[in-house]
Amino acid sequence: MSADALEALTGAGIAATQSDSFGPAAIDVPPESWVAAHEVLRDAVGFTYFDFLSASDELTDGFRVVSHLADFWGGSHVDHVLVRTLVPRDNAVLPSLTDLYAGANWHERETHEMFGIGFDGHPNLTTLLLPDEFEGHPLRKEFVLASRVAKPWPGAKEPGESEHAPAGAPSRRRTLPPGVPDPESWGPRPPGSPDPDPLAPAQAASAPARPRRAGGERRTRRQSE
C-alpha cells in the first residue's frame, strides 16, 4: 500500500519521497503540498481514517510535523501510512487539515499549544490542555523545565554522590539531566548581558557524549602492543 500511496502522490505532481521508519511507511512531502497530499491519500488511495497528528523539534532544522492515516479493508486488515513535512523554526506554519479530516481539530490544537506551530484555516486554534496564563511551548527543546532546576534530579546518582557512598569515593563530572540548561544560559542575568542562544543547551544535549570507537580499533591496538 505504501507503494500505491507514493505512486498516487507523485502522479499528482507532489514531490513525495518514502523514508525508512520503525513502524508504518513514512512519506515526506513539502509543506506547500501538505493538504494536497492528504487529499490524494484520502480520495485516491483510501486512507479515510485520521488517527493522530503531532510534531518533533528538530532544532535548527525546524519542526517535523507528522500525521498517521489508516485504511481499513478486508475485514480486520489495516494499512497505515505516516505523512511528514518539515517547517522552518522561524515560520512554523502549515495549512489546517480540518476541512479534510474533522479529527485533525484536536490534534492541531495540541500541537499548536505544545510546539507553537500555527495551522492556517483552523476554526478554533485556542488553548486545549494548558492554563490560559501559561507561557511558552513545553515540547520545544529550548523550553526550560524549571522544576528540574529547583529540586534534585530523581534519577540515578553519579558515583560518589550518594549519601551512602564512603568518604573520598571517586566521582565523575556530573552531567545535566534532560531539560536542565547550563546555569550560564538560563536564569537572571546582569543588565546589559547578551541574550544566550536558546537552542544551545538542547543542541549540546543532542550531541554524543563521547565519540564511538571504530570497529576493531581496540583489537588492533592490542595486537600492535
Side-chain angles (χ1 to χ4, degrees), residues 21-184:
S21 172
F22 290 107
I27 295 178
D28 291 303
V29 300
E32 60 271 17
S33 303
W34 182 243
V35 172
H38 283 81
E39 188 171 12
V40 169
L41 292 173
R42 185 194 66 175
D43 299 341
V45 188
F47 287 101
T48 56
Y49 181 80
F50 181 92
D51 186 21
F52 71 79
L53 179 145
S54 190
S56 63
D57 187 343
E58 304 293 335
L59 297 173
T60 55
D61 290 338
F63 298 99
R64 192 174 302 280
V65 182
V66 57
S67 69
H68 177 219
L69 309 177
D71 173 23
F72 296 88
W73 63 276
S76 60
H77 189 88
V78 184
D79 283 324
H80 304 265
V81 67
L82 298 175
V83 187
R84 310 187 308 185
T85 194
L86 196 64
V87 294
R89 198 174 198 87
D90 57 356
N91 186 29
V93 180
L94 275 177
S96 174
L97 295 175
T98 50
D99 286 343
L100 293 176
Y101 295 101
N105 188 313
W106 188 93
H107 298 270
E108 289 181 350
R109 286 176 64 187
E110 181 188 38
T111 304
H112 171 68
E113 197 169 22
M114 296 297 171
F115 291 93
I117 300 171
F119 292 92
D120 282 346
H122 191 286
N124 186 34
L125 205 59
T126 57
T127 300
L128 179 69
L129 302 173
L130 300 173
D132 291 337
E133 65 276 8
F134 192 91
E135 296 183 2
H137 305 288
L139 293 186
R140 287 192 174 207
K141 288 183 178 177
E142 77 266 23
F143 186 83
V144 175
L145 301 179
S147 62
R148 298 273 181 89
V149 179
K151 59 184 179 181
W153 168 240
K157 293 178 178 291
E158 292 289 336
E161 292 179 346
S162 169
E163 61 271 19
H164 303 296
S171 174
R172 296 197 301 267
R173 180 179 63 85
R174 187 170 186 178
T175 57
L176 291 172
V180 178
D182 186 277
E184 294 298 321

